[in-house]
Amino acid sequence: KIMQQRIFTDLDLNFSKHPITKDVAKKIKENAIIGAVRNLLQTNYFERPFNPTLGSNINALLFEPADDVTAIAMAKEIRLLITNFEPRVKIDELQVNADPDNNRFEVTIRFYIINSVKPITISLFLQRLR
């Protein structure tokens, strides 16, 4: 039996133009999943119309002291968020490190897309904007 691999697609939220079709460009495969995970991390509760439970308290935690206690709470929020709202991935490793000198958190997530053996790693900084 031949296993058919799914190809995931999503809109490019920068709304860049496709060079040939002149339509909105698409993100495909890993790029679509990475974009979805990044979007989830930036979504607060009640931001999505008709889906008020989608989101997390990550933004609120950014206004807490940048220490290890907050980093642990943020890691729990991120794990819960991705587990509940992104069924296409399975988290392998999650690290949240506080950077108190810059009042931010460094987040590194390593995950697998379903039916894939290649791990994907996302690293980003989360910090408050106000």
Side-chain angles (χ1 to χ4, degrees):
K1 211 176 195 185
I2 298 174
M3 184 177 234
Q4 188 175 11
Q5 188 172 0
R6 294 178 64 182
I7 297 177
F8 299 108
T9 61
D10 204 355
L11 288 176
D12 181 5
L13 294 181
N14 291 329
F15 294 104
S16 56
K17 186 169 39 171
H18 189 277
I20 296 171
T21 64
K22 307 295 186 210
D23 200 1
V24 176
K26 285 192 256 183
K27 289 184 176 183
I28 59 171
K29 300 180 182 176
E30 296 108 29
N31 291 331
I33 304 290
I34 291 169
V37 170
R38 285 181 183 266
N39 271 343
L40 275 176
L41 294 176
Q42 297 172 353
T43 302
N44 294 317
Y45 290 119
F46 301 102
E47 277 188 353
R48 300 274 175 102
F50 309 109
N51 197 354
T53 61
L54 186 126
S56 69
N57 268 339
I58 293 172
N59 191 42
L61 289 171
L62 294 174
F63 288 88
E64 296 295 324
D67 58 12
D68 292 337
V69 174
T70 308
I72 291 168
M74 190 171 292
K76 287 181 182 179
E77 282 285 324
I78 292 170
R79 188 173 298 278
L80 186 66
L81 176 70
I82 293 173
T83 302
N84 287 341
F85 296 108
E86 189 49 77
R88 301 176 290 183
V89 304
K90 182 177 181 337
I91 296 175
D92 182 46
E93 185 179 340
L94 172 62
Q95 292 180 352
V96 179
N97 298 314
D99 181 3
D101 293 336
N102 296 309
N103 202 25
R104 65 184 182 179
F105 295 88
E106 181 182 7
V107 178
T108 304
I109 307 168
R110 187 173 71 194
F111 60 86
Y112 291 92
I113 298 174
I114 57 169
N115 297 331
S116 176
V117 295
K118 184 178 105 178
I120 296 174
T121 303
I122 299 175
S123 294
L124 62 136
F125 289 101
L126 295 176
Q127 63 188 33
R128 64 181 182 213
L129 298 176
R130 297 177 227 155

